[in-house]
Amino acid sequence: MTTFGSAQSAGYDRRATRLLGSLYRRIAADIDTATAQGATVVDIGTGPGKLLSTLATRRPDLRLHGIDLSPHMIEIAHRNLDGHPAELAVADVGDLPHPDATIDFAVSSLSMHEWPDLGAATRELHRILRPGGTLTIYDFRFARTAAIQQALRTHFGTVDTETVRLPWHPVAVITRYRATA
Ligand SMILES: C[S@@+](CC[C@H](N)C(=O)[O-])C[C@H]1O[C@@H](n2cnc3c(N)ncnc32)[C@H](O)[C@@H]1O
């Protein structure tokens, strides 16, 4: 399994800042609508933490967590969070550090297409969510669609799949998968 190295992580941080703001704002708006005051949210494959910092500004009441396979990404995420409280850890989605049934909302953006074992990942995501908790996965349209739907059906029962159109983007390139624990 390859992980984002130091230069690759810094390069991704720069590109994400320039190009992905509308995606992070859209996801933060979805989470805002779907979460109660003080809810616990984890961002899986948080990378440079841009979604978490967008969310921290919009909803300072949320208890934020983020994990990523790359220690370089986690270091950058700490910097980008700029003092906003968040629990960040180096971890694999297939072996999460969170105790059972402790998370209200799990989210992931543009990371699922890199996960080596979708079965192990979705089993872990189901384990850490409270009963009734929500998982949303945003990734490139057509990236492993059938495989992630199958894995989510196995561990969550059903999955809702929706194409996401971002403002100013002429083509819808993102799919959102949503499941309830
Ligand atoms: C393209 S970046 C997306 C980062 C961020 N979510 C975003 O939307 O900007 C993909 C991230 O997923 C992480 N990743 C890949 N495989 C992973 C795994 N098995 N467990 C945890 N994180 C993983 C990578 O290290 C990388 O930071």
Side-chain angles (χ1 to χ4, degrees):
M1 190 186 315
T2 55
T3 62
F4 279 70
S6 177
Q8 208 184 356
S9 299
Y12 183 82
D13 181 36
R14 283 193 296 276
R15 288 194 303 282
T17 303
R18 207 170 61 241
L19 302 171
L20 296 177
S22 62
L23 175 62
Y24 303 133
R25 286 191 295 277
R26 159 65 200 256
I27 299 174
D30 287 353
I31 296 172
D32 186 6
T33 307
T35 49
Q37 186 79 8
T40 302
V41 177
V42 62
D43 183 16
I44 303 293
T46 191
K50 305 296 289 185
L51 172 60
L52 285 177
S53 58
T54 305
L55 204 48
T57 304
R58 188 176 178 123
R59 285 287 302 275
D61 60 293
L62 295 176
R63 280 173 292 197
L64 299 179
H65 296 246
I67 67 100
D68 200 282
L69 202 53
S70 163
H72 305 286
M73 287 292 203
I74 289 295
E75 197 183 314
I76 294 171
H78 272 295
R79 275 206 303 276
N80 284 339
L81 273 153
D82 196 24
H84 285 293
E87 297 271 330
L88 301 179
V90 176
D92 189 318
V93 62
D95 184 15
L96 293 170
H98 312 90
D100 295 359
T102 51
I103 301 291
D104 297 301
F105 199 105
V107 62
S108 183
S109 64
L110 309 184
S111 179
M112 177 273 289
H113 64 272
E114 297 179 17
W115 300 348
D117 182 344
L118 293 181
T122 49
R123 188 174 55 240
E124 271 297 86
L125 289 162
H126 189 271
R127 178 187 67 74
I128 66 168
L129 280 166
R130 293 199 169 99
T134 302
L135 167 66
T136 56
I137 296 173
Y138 298 75
D139 213 323
F140 300 112
R141 217 172 146 192
F142 310 124
R144 307 173 87 183
T145 298
I148 188 62
Q149 285 175 327
Q150 179 58 50
L152 287 169
R153 276 192 208 104
T154 300
H155 296 288
F156 287 78
T158 58
V159 55
D160 171 65
T161 303
E162 190 186 311
T163 301
V164 174
R165 183 174 289 280
L166 300 172
W168 313 115
H169 286 245
V171 180
V173 290
I174 302 291
T175 298
R176 179 184 71 178
Y177 304 93
R178 186 174 52 195
T180 304

